[in-house]
Amino acid sequence: MVAALSLLLTSNLATAKPRHCRKDCKQDIGHCRALVPTNADCAGTKAERRACRTMHAAQGRACHGLVKLCKQTNPNGSGMCLLPSTTTTVVTTTSTSTTTTSTTILGCGMFVTAWGTYGTGVGQFNYPFGVAVDLNGNVFVTDALNHRIQKFTNDGTFVRAWGGMGSDSGQFMLPYFLAVDRTGNVFVGDTGNYRIQKFDNDGTFLTAWGTKGAATGNFLYPAGIATDSSGNVFVADPTDARVQMFDNDGTYLVTLSSEGTGPFYEPYGLAVDGEGSVFVADSLASHIFKFSNTGSLLTQWGSESTLPGNFVNPEGLSVDAEGNLFVVDAGNNRIEKFDNDGMFVSVWGSLGSAPGQFRGAMDVAVDADSNVFVADELNDRIQKFACP
């Protein structure tokens, strides 16, 4: 006789039993909202109270997003409502054995493959930090402590590598984040040399810009990089609390925000959608900002928490072809997916070294087929997931 037991594994959320989805969706909203602080808990200055209320509203939207997706997944109420948890562990026991499997819900985050081990050889990594994908599906990785860039096919087959430790053109000192534009050019944040380097798709050096400093066009810590459809390049500088915009060859255009005159504390990850909207992950504030292509703040969400839709030190960002945003929630060892307006969609991952688990995940990239690549830094590997 086979018995199956479904357990909901959550962090700060109380364990809940599976229920028929449409029947009890209102109960799910109530359960989720009960864990969200009320606006009465907001204190401080007027600006601080406003920010507090904004974050509470974002948490409320996350609750609604969970229930909405549950309804879409189970339109006839035939499925089981597993909200607001993110992972289901099914333990199946027979007379001879016990099998435990873990899966994520809502279809996103299905493990496909992984590659890489610790080392200096081709296809090996020492601190894989950034990951990016070009329009042909090639995957580029910053191998930070090996001071090089590695290029792979979509399934992880090694193509080529370039770099080496140094400060000459084409050399690196701790390359962290990187981005690929629509024409295949590769932009690398050469963090230890306080500059951005531009290469063609095969690693031929093209140009570089930036030196150490707080003046426009320079950097104190070049971190997240993103490009828009026009080829403009955005660079986050967490030490200087700003995001700078350059043209494709490195000419400074504008600063999105800076400490004392804008909302950032420690901007790390960047992504730009097809409409030119810019997403910024403020790691220290555990917050996501969305700006228009003219620099106007459109929306923001998130606070430091393990609740769905929140973060502990968000790092890398990526946007898919439909405008959905993927966030590396580094402190929670997971990937979160949101729609273009910040509505929570799904989440997967936990601490560990098994497939689908992470240790120090830092960056994420999504290809044209909605495959998601994660730089699993301390496991010295790249993981690939499907997100239909």
Side-chain angles (χ1 to χ4, degrees):
M1 180 177 180
V2 177
L5 175 65
S6 294
L7 302 176
L8 296 179
L9 302 181
T10 61
S11 334
N12 289 350
L13 301 180
T15 299
K17 294 180 180 180
R19 300 186 297 275
H20 287 287
C21 182
R22 291 186 64 85
K23 179 179 178 181
D24 287 330
C25 277
K26 288 184 178 180
Q27 294 182 28
D28 282 305
I29 292 177
H31 177 69
C32 188
R33 281 184 170 174
L35 297 168
V36 177
T38 66
N39 288 340
D41 297 317
C42 296
T45 66
K46 182 178 180 180
E48 289 170 339
R49 293 196 303 274
R50 185 186 302 114
C52 178
R53 290 193 296 269
T54 299
M55 286 186 282
H56 292 174
Q59 291 172 330
R61 289 198 304 271
C63 293
H64 280 288
L66 286 166
V67 175
K68 178 181 177 182
L69 282 163
C70 181
K71 289 180 178 179
Q72 292 172 347
T73 306
N74 302 279
N76 299 317
S78 58
M80 304 305 291
C81 193
L82 304 178
L83 307 179
S85 91
T86 61
T87 304
T88 305
T89 297
V90 180
V91 182
T92 303
T93 303
T94 67
S95 58
T96 58
S97 64
T98 298
T99 303
T100 302
T101 60
S102 295
T103 60
T104 54
I105 64 172
L106 303 178
C108 199
M110 294 179 290
F111 176 79
V112 176
T113 190
W115 67 89
T117 57
Y118 172 78
T120 59
V122 296
Q124 294 184 311
F125 304 110
N126 187 359
Y127 213 66
F129 198 103
V131 61
V133 184
D134 67 16
L135 292 180
N136 294 319
N138 297 304
V139 181
F140 299 81
V141 181
T142 55
D143 188 4
L145 292 184
N146 284 326
H147 309 283
R148 65 183 179 182
I149 308 301
Q150 295 197 64
K151 178 181 178 180
F152 302 88
T153 64
N154 201 262
D155 62 0
T157 301
F158 175 81
V159 176
R160 61 175 45 84
W162 70 89
M165 185 175 179
S167 57
D168 292 339
S169 297
Q171 294 183 318
F172 304 105
M173 182 67 71
L174 300 175
Y176 281 169
F177 288 97
L178 78 169
V180 184
D181 68 14
R182 289 179 177 270
T183 62
N185 295 311
V186 181
F187 299 85
V188 181
D190 187 5
T191 306
N193 286 320
Y194 308 99
R195 66 184 178 183
I196 304 299
Q197 294 199 66
K198 176 183 176 181
F199 302 86
D200 72 11
N201 203 259
D202 292 323
T204 301
F205 174 81
L206 298 176
T207 190
W209 69 90
T211 59
K212 184 177 181 179
T216 56
N218 294 321
F219 310 100
L220 293 178
Y221 186 106
I225 305 177
T227 62
D228 65 16
S229 58
S230 299
N232 297 310
V233 182
F234 298 80
V235 183
D237 192 335
T239 301
D240 215 17
R242 66 182 180 182
V243 175
Q244 297 186 79
M245 177 179 175
F246 303 85
D247 72 11
N248 202 258
D249 291 318
T251 300
Y252 169 80
L253 299 176
V254 69
T255 296
L256 191 60
S257 182
S258 61
E259 188 175 9
T261 62
F264 300 141
Y265 288 98
E266 196 175 72
Y268 258 86
L270 294 177
V272 182
D273 67 15
E275 302 299 319
S277 298
V278 182
F279 296 87
V280 182
D282 192 327
S283 185
L284 186 62
S286 293
H287 208 61
I288 303 296
F289 295 92
K290 178 185 177 182
F291 295 87
S292 71
N293 56 9
T294 59
S296 299
L297 180 62
L298 298 177
T299 189
Q300 54 184 309
W301 70 92
S303 60
E304 186 169 319
S305 169
T306 58
L307 285 169
N310 293 286
F311 319 97
V312 177
N313 301 124
E315 302 287 353
L317 303 178
S318 187
V319 177
D320 67 13
E322 296 180 352
N324 299 301
L325 179 70
F326 293 79
V327 182
V328 175
D329 185 6
N332 286 322
N333 297 287
R334 65 188 184 184
I335 307 300
E336 295 195 70
K337 178 183 177 181
F338 300 86
D339 72 11
N340 198 260
D341 294 317
M343 183 78 74
F344 175 81
V345 176
S346 62
V347 63
W348 73 92
S350 59
L351 177 63
S353 300
Q357 294 184 315
F358 308 105
R359 292 177 61 239
M362 291 302 297
D363 202 10
V364 60
V366 187
D367 68 13
D369 296 321
S370 296
N371 295 305
V372 181
F373 301 85
V374 180
D376 190 6
E377 185 180 56
L378 298 181
N379 282 322
D380 291 303
R381 66 184 177 184
I382 300 299
Q383 293 197 68
K384 177 181 178 180
F385 302 90
C387 194

